[in-house]
Amino acid sequence: MTKPLKITERQVTALCNGAAKAGFIAEVKIGDVVVRLIPEDHAQPQRRIDEAKGGYL
């Protein structure tokens, strides 16, 4: 994707904070791409890519 989104960092922060307060996870769909913003305490533990189960992510 080379075209920047017409949304400010402040607006992104407001969306994320509002979703978190409501107990939701923010999800943004741009064409066929989905970006899901989740709280850190719900994130998967960091690991090396080649440690994926089944050989793929």
Side-chain angles (χ1 to χ4, degrees), residues 22-37:
F24 292 95
I25 294 171
E27 183 174 273
V28 180
K29 293 184 181 183
I30 305 166
D32 292 335
V33 176
V34 177
V35 178
R36 184 173 286 182
L37 307 170

Side-chain angles (χ1 to χ4, degrees), residues 34-56:
V34 177
V35 178
R36 184 173 286 182
L37 307 170
I38 61 171
E40 187 174 357
D41 61 340
H42 286 80
Q44 296 179 6
Q46 289 187 357
R47 59 179 168 72
R48 293 174 48 116
I49 292 175
D50 59 356
E51 293 175 1
K53 293 180 182 177
Y56 59 90

